[in-house]
Amino acid sequence: MKRIAIFPGSFDPITKGHENILQRALPLFDEIIIAIGKNSSKQNYFPLEQREKWIRQVFANEPKVRIETYTGLTIEFCKKMNAKYILRGLRTSADFEFEKAIAQNNKIMASEIETVFILPIPELSAINSTIVRDIVRNNGDATPFVPKGIELKAQ
Ligand code: ADP
């Protein structure tokens, strides 16, 4: 059976942190579906189409990566995609507490689905989309934090 993982997130925008987690997870799975959540309570900064386009650009040469958008519960989307794994990155202890609760509750709701965590490499662990958005909003240069070729413009 194909080992399919879902990498859910808002990717607002994709950063070098996301890219690194995904690259390192690739050898573990046959397919990774990057799933851009559309129903987050968060107000997104970059339009969905733009976020999706950037992700496609970053993984254009990676046949094991697929990109989808979804609404609703991540575990329901996993079932729809026949994915048995959820991939998440753990940057901080705050991430850990938050992710632990979600993963444990998901396990109660869908026992066949495992959440797999990957720690960022130290030099990327301080990168997050919120900081990148703040830099862009204030007309700073966020290129050191995003994958090569991504040009961010204030919205
Ligand atoms: P969400 O709103 O679901 O947290 P994000 O796009 O912010 O969506 O993050 C998606 C996933 O990528 C999360 O598991 C997050 O921990 C992980 N991630 C984001 N930035 C980094 C980073 N610098 N290093 C490792 N993982 C990261």
Side-chain angles (χ1 to χ4, degrees):
M1 208 171 68
K2 247 177 121 181
R3 279 164 309 160
I4 305 173
I6 298 281
F7 185 28
S10 31
F11 305 97
D12 190 22
I14 183 167
T15 67
K16 280 186 179 169
H18 294 123
E19 183 186 27
N20 180 258
I21 294 294
L22 193 123
Q23 294 288 6
R24 287 163 55 210
L26 274 176
L28 305 175
F29 303 105
D30 298 308
E31 181 174 75
I32 300 181
I33 301 171
I34 301 180
I36 312 173
K38 291 197 289 187
N39 60 338
S40 154
S41 50
K42 284 183 194 169
Q43 184 70 38
N44 293 306
Y45 182 67
F46 294 105
L48 178 67
E49 296 70 31
Q50 180 63 81
R51 284 180 275 146
E52 193 175 341
K53 207 171 131 195
W54 281 326
I55 300 172
R56 282 195 197 287
Q57 189 182 320
V58 173
F59 299 108
N61 297 321
E62 192 40 77
K64 283 163 88 177
V65 174
R66 198 170 131 188
I67 297 134
E68 299 283 346
T69 60
Y70 77 107
T71 53
L73 292 179
T74 304
I75 49 161
E76 294 307 325
F77 186 65
C78 287
K79 289 178 194 167
K80 197 170 141 199
M81 295 289 117
N82 216 7
K84 296 280 186 287
Y85 306 93
I86 297 174
L87 174 66
R88 297 288 287 175
L90 281 184
R91 291 159 296 190
T92 60
S93 51
D95 267 3
F96 172 74
E97 291 300 337
F98 180 74
E99 297 290 341
K100 179 178 126 182
I102 295 178
Q104 289 179 330
N105 291 328
N106 279 344
K107 193 75 187 155
I108 293 169
M109 294 188 288
S111 61
E112 71 282 14
I113 297 172
E114 290 295 347
T115 304
V116 176
F117 296 104
I118 291 189
L119 301 179
I121 53 171
E123 53 271 44
L124 297 182
S125 69
I127 299 180
N128 70 60
S129 298
T130 309
I131 293 174
V132 170
R133 288 195 300 274
D134 277 348
I135 294 169
V136 174
R137 245 188 231 117
N138 292 292
N139 301 311
D141 178 13
T143 43
F145 309 112
V146 296
K148 239 175 103 190
I150 292 196
E151 286 177 28
L152 304 167
K153 287 202 180 69
Q155 302 292 296

